[in-house]
Amino acid sequence: MTSRKSVYVTRAIPSQTIEELRAHFDVEVNPEDRALSRDELKERLKGRDAAITLLTDTIDGEVLDAAGPQLRVVANYAVGFNNFDLAAATRRGVVLTNTPGVLDDATATHTMTLLLATARRIAESDAFVRQGRWQGWAPMTFVGLDVDRQTLGIAGLGRIGRNVARKARGFDMNIIYADMHRDADFEAETGARHVDKPTLLRESDFLTLHVPLLPETHHYIGADELRAMKKTAVLINASRGPVVDEPALVEALKAGEIWGAGLDVFEDEPALAPGLAGLANVVVVPHIASATPQTRLAMGRIAATNIIEVLHGRAPGTCVNPDVLKVTA
């Protein structure tokens, strides 16, 4: 009898996912609630047939070589995969997968939560009350921004961007969007208007980012873009931290170049740019856009299914380097 294949999970995820994998394979999970160092990752992937990874785990040629030729599939427990070197994996015949689709509702709802919390100064006023500083109602205390019937700009019209737009319609927001491709059906459904990036920056009362992290979207919002926005504008980022030049954002918030920001992700997580945490006009939360039980379970189900399929000689449902399937077929 041949030994069971081995799967390593780099961070604790829902137990249901682990048990699903254990029905087929030997599974080991990182026992510590922290990201692995690069050396630890290389050591713990040695001899594995598969791994479930997070965005904090860089999977490149060096790591794959350390793991050895036995490694067949790496399943990201995330929709993003900027931690993957696709070409390096494809050259080595390693299948890479992600978990798209199941995060859309949770992330779009979280985006709107950040937007509303920033506009109505929820975090700031909550702290004020908890500190015992509230002396009673006053007409000018924590005056925020209107959301209803304001202009929402969406950078990147993927699944999450579309979902945000549909939710924003409940506030009668005017929708504009910038994307490489115009979508007439989306425009008919939402009344949205396709614009170029300068128009998006100039006209948005609230600007939410949903672009993937690519070389061309690194610092998609920088000092020049922040100066082009309205002084009353709010920037929301629940996509990837490096699409915003975080030090430039700190300076813009300090100088009043924009009114506020709501951030779920950061350029150098978990570190924040110096000065960011001390600003009252920014809401900062620890990368929790997809943090609901249903979403986490659905992500695990996709990751586990992808590993099961590949290790049983079948194509996975969400391969991000599809050329490898031609090589390994």
Side-chain angles (χ1 to χ4, degrees):
M1 180 182 294
T2 58
S3 62
R4 284 166 41 114
K5 294 185 184 299
S6 174
V7 178
Y8 190 78
V9 182
T10 65
R11 194 85 178 259
I13 58 176
S15 59
Q16 293 93 323
T17 299
I18 304 302
E19 292 311 309
E20 183 177 359
L21 286 169
R22 281 185 171 143
H24 301 265
F25 316 113
D26 290 331
V27 180
E28 184 181 349
V29 182
N30 174 12
E32 300 182 64
D33 189 20
R34 62 172 178 82
L36 296 173
S37 70
R38 184 171 177 82
D39 286 342
E40 288 173 325
L41 182 64
K42 289 161 64 175
E43 180 63 31
R44 296 188 194 183
L45 291 188
K46 281 183 181 177
R48 307 290 181 175
D49 297 281
I52 291 182
T53 55
L54 277 66
L55 286 169
T56 48
D57 303 313
T58 297
I59 304 299
D60 56 17
E62 182 182 350
V63 169
L64 293 171
D65 287 341
Q70 190 170 336
L71 188 67
R72 297 276 310 286
V73 54
V74 179
N76 242 18
Y77 188 76
V79 64
F81 50 90
N82 51 282
N83 59 314
F84 284 164
D85 184 331
L86 303 185
T90 300
R91 285 195 299 270
R92 291 163 176 80
V94 178
V95 177
L96 304 176
T97 71
N98 67 339
T99 63
V102 294
L103 293 76
D104 299 353
D105 273 330
T107 303
T109 296
H110 186 68
T111 297
M112 289 303 299
T113 301
L114 281 174
L115 188 155
L116 294 167
T118 306
R120 298 306 303 269
R121 303 174 67 180
I122 297 300
E124 188 183 358
S125 55
D126 175 86
F128 185 81
V129 173
R130 292 175 187 273
Q131 292 162 5
R133 298 166 60 192
W134 187 38
Q135 301 299 311
W137 186 86
M140 298 308 293
T141 299
F142 291 107
V143 175
L145 297 177
D146 284 317
V147 172
D148 296 83
R149 293 170 295 281
Q150 301 303 296
T151 296
L152 174 66
I154 300 174
L157 196 68
R159 291 184 305 270
I160 295 170
R162 294 167 194 271
N163 199 313
V164 170
R166 295 184 181 104
K167 287 173 168 53
R169 291 180 66 197
F171 295 91
D172 294 323
M173 299 188 83
N174 304 309
I175 310 296
I176 59 176
Y177 72 99
D179 193 89
M180 291 177 62
H181 306 287
R182 183 175 179 178
D183 189 328
D185 291 338
F186 171 78
E187 293 176 14
E189 176 191 353
T190 61
R193 180 164 53 95
H194 182 256
V195 298
D196 58 17
K197 184 178 178 181
T199 303
L200 185 80
L201 297 169
R202 184 175 63 250
E203 295 189 7
S204 294
D205 296 306
F206 298 88
L207 174 58
T208 181
L209 306 178
H210 301 287
V211 294
L213 180 56
L214 303 167
E216 55 267 32
T217 60
H218 183 264
H219 286 182
Y220 179 88
I221 299 294
D224 291 342
E225 287 79 11
L226 291 161
R227 281 192 290 269
M229 294 172 66
K230 297 179 180 180
K231 291 188 180 297
T232 54
V234 170
L235 177 69
I236 304 296
N237 187 16
S239 59
R240 290 288 176 265
V243 304
V244 174
D245 181 340
E246 206 168 297
L249 176 61
V250 171
E251 294 307 311
L253 290 167
K254 285 181 178 178
E257 291 178 350
I258 63 171
W259 191 85
L263 307 176
D264 180 65
V265 290
F266 306 91
E267 189 165 7
D268 188 26
E269 295 181 9
L272 305 186
L276 185 65
L279 296 175
N281 55 343
V282 60
V283 174
V284 290
V285 296
H287 202 149
I288 56 171
S290 62
T292 70
Q294 295 89 341
T295 302
R296 292 287 194 245
L297 285 170
M299 292 166 64
R301 201 156 38 241
I302 292 175
T305 299
N306 282 333
I307 286 176
I308 292 167
E309 292 298 293
V310 172
L311 294 188
H312 284 92
R314 299 184 291 266
T318 61
C319 181
V320 299
N321 61 332
D323 286 345
V324 77
L325 301 177
K326 304 171 187 175
V327 175
T328 58

